[in-house]
Amino acid sequence: MRENGILRIVARFLIPLIMLFALYIQFHGEYSPGGGFQAGVVFAAAWILFVLIYGLDAALDVIPERAMYVLMLVGVMLYCAVGIAGVLMGGHFLEYTPLLDDPKAAQQFGIITVEFGIGITVATVVMLIFTLFVRRRELLTDSEEQG
């Protein structure tokens, strides 16, 4: 697929649209179906399409594997930080009302922040799983050629 010009052009057009749709799902998940998990999977799908067209090495030049691990941790920490902040401010875990003076604004802030953490984590975990599958396939192909 790396040599097919039509696929490269179509992918160059589709990948930004898929990422834009992922952002739409991420930030409208509070009001419509969607949220962090769905947005993370859609974002990872754009990255997987990039890998299929341009190869894993080119994709890892864009988002290195180490950055994926860091982003995965950042997402989990963001989720936990919002939950613990509610406890430290006198509420329960993931109770948003103590976070801000206005309860409605606090709930919106809490939900958006938690969903953003979920989205980052899900996207990077799916990308890492796909990376491991591609590497495994490359190892199997190399071992078959040698043996």
mmCIF file of all heavy atoms in Angstrom, residues 97-127:
data_model
loop_
_atom_site.group_PDB
_atom_site.id
_atom_site.type_symbol
_atom_site.label_atom_id
_atom_site.label_comp_id
_atom_site.label_asym_id
_atom_site.label_seq_id
_atom_site.Cartn_x
_atom_site.Cartn_y
_atom_site.Cartn_z
ATOM 1 N N THR A 97 -18.897 18.719 41.978
ATOM 2 C CA THR A 97 -19.428 19.968 42.535
ATOM 3 C C THR A 97 -18.463 20.717 43.448
ATOM 4 O O THR A 97 -18.504 21.948 43.462
ATOM 5 C CB THR A 97 -20.755 19.709 43.273
ATOM 6 O OG1 THR A 97 -20.590 18.624 44.186
ATOM 7 C CG2 THR A 97 -21.859 19.386 42.292
ATOM 8 N N PRO A 98 -17.562 20.060 44.198
ATOM 9 C CA PRO A 98 -16.625 20.862 45.003
ATOM 10 C C PRO A 98 -15.541 21.554 44.182
ATOM 11 O O PRO A 98 -14.838 22.426 44.714
ATOM 12 C CB PRO A 98 -15.978 19.834 45.949
ATOM 13 C CG PRO A 98 -16.791 18.622 45.885
ATOM 14 C CD PRO A 98 -17.482 18.655 44.569
ATOM 15 N N LEU A 99 -15.392 21.198 42.908
ATOM 16 C CA LEU A 99 -14.276 21.733 42.119
ATOM 17 C C LEU A 99 -14.420 23.223 41.834
ATOM 18 O O LEU A 99 -13.426 23.946 41.797
ATOM 19 C CB LEU A 99 -14.144 20.962 40.805
ATOM 20 C CG LEU A 99 -13.825 19.470 40.930
ATOM 21 C CD1 LEU A 99 -13.795 18.813 39.558
ATOM 22 C CD2 LEU A 99 -12.509 19.254 41.655
ATOM 23 N N LEU A 100 -15.619 23.698 41.585
ATOM 24 C CA LEU A 100 -15.847 25.112 41.271
ATOM 25 C C LEU A 100 -17.031 25.618 42.092
ATOM 26 O O LEU A 100 -17.808 24.834 42.643
ATOM 27 C CB LEU A 100 -16.145 25.295 39.775
ATOM 28 C CG LEU A 100 -15.031 24.909 38.794
ATOM 29 C CD1 LEU A 100 -15.537 25.013 37.361
ATOM 30 C CD2 LEU A 100 -13.806 25.794 38.985
ATOM 31 N N ASP A 101 -17.189 26.940 42.151
ATOM 32 C CA ASP A 101 -18.287 27.522 42.923
ATOM 33 C C ASP A 101 -19.648 27.217 42.304
ATOM 34 O O ASP A 101 -20.604 26.929 43.003
ATOM 35 C CB ASP A 101 -18.094 29.037 43.028
ATOM 36 C CG ASP A 101 -16.888 29.382 43.896
ATOM 37 O OD1 ASP A 101 -16.537 28.553 44.773
ATOM 38 O OD2 ASP A 101 -16.306 30.453 43.695
ATOM 39 N N ASP A 102 -19.736 27.314 40.984
ATOM 40 C CA ASP A 102 -20.988 27.034 40.273
ATOM 41 C C ASP A 102 -21.100 25.524 40.031
ATOM 42 O O ASP A 102 -20.251 24.943 39.333
ATOM 43 C CB ASP A 102 -21.011 27.790 38.946
ATOM 44 C CG ASP A 102 -22.300 27.578 38.176
ATOM 45 O OD1 ASP A 102 -23.305 27.156 38.791
ATOM 46 O OD2 ASP A 102 -22.302 27.848 36.961
ATOM 47 N N PRO A 103 -22.116 24.850 40.595
ATOM 48 C CA PRO A 103 -22.202 23.386 40.440
ATOM 49 C C PRO A 103 -22.312 22.927 38.991
ATOM 50 O O PRO A 103 -21.723 21.913 38.621
ATOM 51 C CB PRO A 103 -23.474 23.020 41.213
ATOM 52 C CG PRO A 103 -23.768 24.160 42.087
ATOM 53 C CD PRO A 103 -23.170 25.368 41.458
ATOM 54 N N LYS A 104 -23.054 23.681 38.159
ATOM 55 C CA LYS A 104 -23.188 23.280 36.760
ATOM 56 C C LYS A 104 -21.852 23.413 36.020
ATOM 57 O O LYS A 104 -21.459 22.525 35.257
ATOM 58 C CB LYS A 104 -24.256 24.125 36.068
ATOM 59 C CG LYS A 104 -24.586 23.644 34.693
ATOM 60 C CD LYS A 104 -25.765 24.349 34.120
ATOM 61 C CE LYS A 104 -26.048 23.778 32.741
ATOM 62 N NZ LYS A 104 -27.287 24.239 32.193
ATOM 63 N N ALA A 105 -21.146 24.510 36.251
ATOM 64 C CA ALA A 105 -19.837 24.691 35.623
ATOM 65 C C ALA A 105 -18.840 23.656 36.134
ATOM 66 O O ALA A 105 -18.004 23.147 35.377
ATOM 67 C CB ALA A 105 -19.313 26.101 35.883
ATOM 68 N N ALA A 106 -18.931 23.326 37.423
ATOM 69 C CA ALA A 106 -18.034 22.317 37.989
ATOM 70 C C ALA A 106 -18.283 20.955 37.353
ATOM 71 O O ALA A 106 -17.342 20.216 37.050
ATOM 72 C CB ALA A 106 -18.233 22.236 39.499
ATOM 73 N N GLN A 107 -19.554 20.625 37.142
ATOM 74 C CA GLN A 107 -19.872 19.345 36.517
ATOM 75 C C GLN A 107 -19.371 19.290 35.071
ATOM 76 O O GLN A 107 -18.798 18.289 34.641
ATOM 77 C CB GLN A 107 -21.375 19.106 36.558
ATOM 78 C CG GLN A 107 -21.757 17.717 36.100
ATOM 79 C CD GLN A 107 -23.227 17.439 36.320
ATOM 80 O OE1 GLN A 107 -24.015 18.334 36.575
ATOM 81 N NE2 GLN A 107 -23.589 16.185 36.223
ATOM 82 N N GLN A 108 -19.563 20.382 34.326
ATOM 83 C CA GLN A 108 -19.056 20.416 32.949
ATOM 84 C C GLN A 108 -17.535 20.305 32.920
ATOM 85 O O GLN A 108 -16.974 19.562 32.119
ATOM 86 C CB GLN A 108 -19.510 21.694 32.249
ATOM 87 C CG GLN A 108 -20.962 21.683 31.883
ATOM 88 C CD GLN A 108 -21.379 22.969 31.197
ATOM 89 O OE1 GLN A 108 -20.768 24.017 31.408
ATOM 90 N NE2 GLN A 108 -22.404 22.882 30.384
ATOM 91 N N PHE A 109 -16.869 21.059 33.796
ATOM 92 C CA PHE A 109 -15.410 21.005 33.855
ATOM 93 C C PHE A 109 -14.929 19.601 34.205
ATOM 94 O O PHE A 109 -14.021 19.062 33.557
ATOM 95 C CB PHE A 109 -14.888 22.016 34.886
ATOM 96 C CG PHE A 109 -13.430 21.874 35.171
ATOM 97 C CD1 PHE A 109 -12.482 22.340 34.273
ATOM 98 C CD2 PHE A 109 -12.994 21.256 36.333
ATOM 99 C CE1 PHE A 109 -11.133 22.195 34.533
ATOM 100 C CE2 PHE A 109 -11.645 21.105 36.601
ATOM 101 C CZ PHE A 109 -10.713 21.578 35.703
ATOM 102 N N GLY A 110 -15.550 18.995 35.200
ATOM 103 C CA GLY A 110 -15.142 17.660 35.623
ATOM 104 C C GLY A 110 -15.347 16.610 34.547
ATOM 105 O O GLY A 110 -14.452 15.798 34.279
ATOM 106 N N ILE A 111 -16.505 16.647 33.922
ATOM 107 C CA ILE A 111 -16.805 15.640 32.890
ATOM 108 C C ILE A 111 -15.880 15.798 31.695
ATOM 109 O O ILE A 111 -15.322 14.821 31.193
ATOM 110 C CB ILE A 111 -18.289 15.728 32.467
ATOM 111 C CG1 ILE A 111 -19.167 15.213 33.600
ATOM 112 C CG2 ILE A 111 -18.537 14.939 31.196
ATOM 113 C CD1 ILE A 111 -20.650 15.399 33.376
ATOM 114 N N ILE A 112 -15.686 17.036 31.245
ATOM 115 C CA ILE A 112 -14.815 17.251 30.085
ATOM 116 C C ILE A 112 -13.386 16.834 30.393
ATOM 117 O O ILE A 112 -12.718 16.187 29.580
ATOM 118 C CB ILE A 112 -14.893 18.729 29.635
ATOM 119 C CG1 ILE A 112 -16.249 18.985 28.979
ATOM 120 C CG2 ILE A 112 -13.759 19.069 28.678
ATOM 121 C CD1 ILE A 112 -16.514 20.435 28.646
ATOM 122 N N THR A 113 -12.912 17.150 31.586
ATOM 123 C CA THR A 113 -11.543 16.787 31.949
ATOM 124 C C THR A 113 -11.377 15.273 32.068
ATOM 125 O O THR A 113 -10.407 14.704 31.567
ATOM 126 C CB THR A 113 -11.155 17.470 33.276
ATOM 127 O OG1 THR A 113 -11.409 18.868 33.172
ATOM 128 C CG2 THR A 113 -9.698 17.245 33.597
ATOM 129 N N VAL A 114 -12.315 14.613 32.719
ATOM 130 C CA VAL A 114 -12.239 13.154 32.859
ATOM 131 C C VAL A 114 -12.338 12.479 31.489
ATOM 132 O O VAL A 114 -11.571 11.557 31.180
ATOM 133 C CB VAL A 114 -13.348 12.656 33.813
ATOM 134 C CG1 VAL A 114 -13.559 11.161 33.693
ATOM 135 C CG2 VAL A 114 -13.006 13.029 35.241
ATOM 136 N N GLU A 115 -13.255 12.940 30.652
ATOM 137 C CA GLU A 115 -13.397 12.351 29.313
ATOM 138 C C GLU A 115 -12.150 12.589 28.466
ATOM 139 O O GLU A 115 -11.771 11.734 27.658
ATOM 140 C CB GLU A 115 -14.632 12.919 28.604
ATOM 141 C CG GLU A 115 -15.944 12.465 29.208
ATOM 142 C CD GLU A 115 -16.219 10.990 28.977
ATOM 143 O OE1 GLU A 115 -15.750 10.426 27.986
ATOM 144 O OE2 GLU A 115 -16.902 10.399 29.822
ATOM 145 N N PHE A 116 -11.503 13.726 28.639
ATOM 146 C CA PHE A 116 -10.267 13.993 27.911
ATOM 147 C C PHE A 116 -9.174 13.016 28.351
ATOM 148 O O PHE A 116 -8.440 12.475 27.515
ATOM 149 C CB PHE A 116 -9.828 15.444 28.131
ATOM 150 C CG PHE A 116 -8.689 15.864 27.263
ATOM 151 C CD1 PHE A 116 -8.804 15.905 25.893
ATOM 152 C CD2 PHE A 116 -7.470 16.218 27.835
ATOM 153 C CE1 PHE A 116 -7.739 16.281 25.096
ATOM 154 C CE2 PHE A 116 -6.408 16.600 27.055
ATOM 155 C CZ PHE A 116 -6.536 16.631 25.685
ATOM 156 N N GLY A 117 -9.087 12.769 29.649
ATOM 157 C CA GLY A 117 -8.127 11.781 30.142
ATOM 158 C C GLY A 117 -8.403 10.395 29.595
ATOM 159 O O GLY A 117 -7.488 9.666 29.198
ATOM 160 N N ILE A 118 -9.669 10.024 29.548
ATOM 161 C CA ILE A 118 -10.052 8.718 28.995
ATOM 162 C C ILE A 118 -9.693 8.643 27.517
ATOM 163 O O ILE A 118 -9.156 7.645 27.039
ATOM 164 C CB ILE A 118 -11.558 8.459 29.219
ATOM 165 C CG1 ILE A 118 -11.850 8.281 30.704
ATOM 166 C CG2 ILE A 118 -12.021 7.240 28.431
ATOM 167 C CD1 ILE A 118 -13.323 8.269 31.048
ATOM 168 N N GLY A 119 -9.974 9.718 26.786
ATOM 169 C CA GLY A 119 -9.672 9.736 25.360
ATOM 170 C C GLY A 119 -8.191 9.578 25.072
ATOM 171 O O GLY A 119 -7.794 8.809 24.187
ATOM 172 N N ILE A 120 -7.364 10.293 25.818
ATOM 173 C CA ILE A 120 -5.911 10.180 25.625
ATOM 174 C C ILE A 120 -5.449 8.759 25.914
ATOM 175 O O ILE A 120 -4.685 8.164 25.148
ATOM 176 C CB ILE A 120 -5.179 11.186 26.539
ATOM 177 C CG1 ILE A 120 -5.423 12.613 26.077
ATOM 178 C CG2 ILE A 120 -3.684 10.899 26.558
ATOM 179 C CD1 ILE A 120 -4.882 13.658 27.040
ATOM 180 N N THR A 121 -5.938 8.195 27.007
ATOM 181 C CA THR A 121 -5.502 6.851 27.392
ATOM 182 C C THR A 121 -5.955 5.805 26.378
ATOM 183 O O THR A 121 -5.165 4.961 25.953
ATOM 184 C CB THR A 121 -6.040 6.502 28.793
ATOM 185 O OG1 THR A 121 -5.544 7.480 29.715
ATOM 186 C CG2 THR A 121 -5.600 5.122 29.221
ATOM 187 N N VAL A 122 -7.210 5.860 25.980
ATOM 188 C CA VAL A 122 -7.721 4.861 25.037
ATOM 189 C C VAL A 122 -6.998 4.961 23.690
ATOM 190 O O VAL A 122 -6.592 3.941 23.113
ATOM 191 C CB VAL A 122 -9.247 5.010 24.866
ATOM 192 C CG1 VAL A 122 -9.753 4.192 23.698
ATOM 193 C CG2 VAL A 122 -9.955 4.605 26.144
ATOM 194 N N ALA A 123 -6.799 6.175 23.205
ATOM 195 C CA ALA A 123 -6.115 6.335 21.915
ATOM 196 C C ALA A 123 -4.712 5.760 21.969
ATOM 197 O O ALA A 123 -4.301 5.002 21.073
ATOM 198 C CB ALA A 123 -6.071 7.815 21.527
ATOM 199 N N THR A 124 -3.966 6.085 23.005
ATOM 200 C CA THR A 124 -2.585 5.610 23.056
ATOM 201 C C THR A 124 -2.500 4.108 23.313
ATOM 202 O O THR A 124 -1.620 3.443 22.776
ATOM 203 C CB THR A 124 -1.786 6.382 24.113
ATOM 204 O OG1 THR A 124 -2.478 6.346 25.359
ATOM 205 C CG2 THR A 124 -1.574 7.810 23.686
ATOM 206 N N VAL A 125 -3.419 3.557 24.088
ATOM 207 C CA VAL A 125 -3.394 2.102 24.313
ATOM 208 C C VAL A 125 -3.700 1.364 23.011
ATOM 209 O O VAL A 125 -3.020 0.392 22.667
ATOM 210 C CB VAL A 125 -4.383 1.703 25.433
ATOM 211 C CG1 VAL A 125 -4.626 0.205 25.445
ATOM 212 C CG2 VAL A 125 -3.861 2.158 26.779
ATOM 213 N N VAL A 126 -4.695 1.831 22.261
ATOM 214 C CA VAL A 126 -5.018 1.180 20.982
ATOM 215 C C VAL A 126 -3.842 1.314 20.016
ATOM 216 O O VAL A 126 -3.481 0.353 19.315
ATOM 217 C CB VAL A 126 -6.309 1.771 20.380
ATOM 218 C CG1 VAL A 126 -6.535 1.271 18.968
ATOM 219 C CG2 VAL A 126 -7.502 1.427 21.260
ATOM 220 N N MET A 127 -3.208 2.483 19.990
ATOM 221 C CA MET A 127 -2.048 2.674 19.115
ATOM 222 C C MET A 127 -0.895 1.756 19.530
ATOM 223 O O MET A 127 -0.215 1.182 18.664
ATOM 224 C CB MET A 127 -1.618 4.147 19.156
ATOM 225 C CG MET A 127 -2.634 5.067 18.502
ATOM 226 S SD MET A 127 -2.494 6.806 18.968
ATOM 227 C CE MET A 127 -0.886 7.233 18.437
#
